């Protein structure tokens, strides 16, 4: 048995079967839906070479699966924006921490997001990138919480509508935990 260094108290060593989590969307349902989204993007972008921009960190798992379901030549890049910190509610402040490696001018951008919540992050990114002379911009988000919206944002490719609950897994975290879960779960209690 490997001796696991415990750096925090009360760390539950099983993240996958954490009793404090309730499964909201199974790994199978996620994978089926992403295949459909990929087919839709493949049809919509036929003849073009879209630039998929992953909004770090939460969207990285979704991004990895989504690009493998798109049957087109494409390019990828990553952007990091200031996030919620260790709480569960948005402060409303958005700042780019890591920008794209190459200019977005003339490109067909698809922002890849884990979840559309208040809409503040994506509305900021849309405004910022429209000023950069992109050819087109669309948004693909795995999850959508319509009840929490503060700013209207058009979602071109949507995985699932979910209720106003704090969710984790499949890239989404609670204080950096649970990103490695293969499913989307709701935190009922933190162990
Ligand atoms: P928005 O700017 O409020 O739309 O927030 C978008 C970001 O907030 C997402 O990319 C997530 O990083 C984070 N977020 C919003 N809701 C949740 C949640 O339920 N679980 C984990 N992260 C969330």
């Amino acid at each position: 048995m490997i001796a696991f260094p415990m750096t925090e108290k009360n760390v539950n060593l099983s993240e996958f079967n954490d009793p404090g989590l309730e499964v909201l969307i199974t790994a199978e349902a996620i994978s089926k839906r992403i295949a459909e989204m990929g087919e839709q993007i493949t049809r919509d972008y036929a003849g073009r070479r879209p630039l998929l921009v992953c909004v770090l960190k939460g969207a990285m798992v979704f991004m990895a699966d989504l690009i493998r379901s798109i049957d087109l030549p494409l390019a990828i890049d990553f952007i990091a924006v200031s996030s919620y910190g260790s709480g569960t509610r948005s402060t409303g402040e958005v700042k780019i921490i890591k920008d794209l490696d190459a200019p977005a001018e003339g490109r067909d951008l698809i922002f890849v997001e884990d979840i559309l919540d208040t809409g503040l992050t994506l509305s900021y990114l849309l405004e910022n990138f429209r000023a950069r002379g992109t050819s087109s911009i669309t948004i693909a988000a795995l999850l959508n919480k319509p009840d929490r919206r503060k700013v209207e944002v058009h979602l071109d490719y949507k995985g699932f509508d979910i209720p106003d609950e704090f969710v984790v897994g499949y890239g989404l975290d609670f204080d950096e935990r649970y990103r490695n879960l293969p499913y989307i779960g709701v935190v009922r209690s933190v162990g």
Side-chain angles (χ1 to χ4, degrees), residues 28-44:
E28 292 73 22
I30 295 171
S31 134
K32 187 168 170 277
R33 185 71 194 112
I34 292 176
E36 291 166 357
M37 294 171 85
E39 279 170 24
Q40 199 185 342
I41 292 173
T42 304
R43 279 196 302 274
D44 293 353

Side-chain angles (χ1 to χ4, degrees), residues 22-27 29-30 142-143 160-162 182-185:
E22 187 184 305
V23 179
L24 186 67
I25 309 171
T26 63
I30 295 171
L142 181 67
L143 305 173
F160 303 90
D161 279 326
I162 60 164
Y183 59 87
I184 300 286

Side-chain angles (χ1 to χ4, degrees), residues 53-154:
V53 177
C54 173
V55 185
L56 293 170
K57 300 175 195 172
M60 54 86 66
V61 181
F62 174 44
M63 173 85 161
D65 283 343
L66 184 66
I67 59 169
R68 285 178 291 173
S69 69
I70 300 173
D71 186 12
L72 287 176
L74 53 78
I76 65 167
D77 209 334
F78 298 86
I79 195 163
V81 294
S82 52
S83 66
Y84 291 3
S86 53
T88 59
R89 292 296 179 206
S90 177
T91 57
E93 275 176 44
V94 183
K95 210 169 72 186
I96 294 179
I97 297 163
K98 183 232 168 280
D99 211 327
L100 301 190
D101 291 341
E105 197 184 341
R107 303 300 306 263
D108 290 306
L109 249 70
I110 306 178
F111 277 116
V112 179
E113 251 292 30
D114 50 3
I115 185 165
L116 185 59
D117 186 32
T118 62
L120 291 166
T121 307
L122 279 169
S123 68
Y124 170 83
L125 285 176
L126 285 175
E127 201 180 301
N128 184 296
F129 274 76
R130 276 183 190 132
R132 300 188 191 195
T134 49
S135 275
S136 67
I137 307 180
T138 58
I139 297 171
L142 181 67
L143 305 173
N144 180 39
K145 270 192 218 172
D147 298 345
R148 293 256 309 149
R149 201 74 87 249
K150 285 187 183 157
V151 198
E152 227 21 78
V153 174
H154 178 72

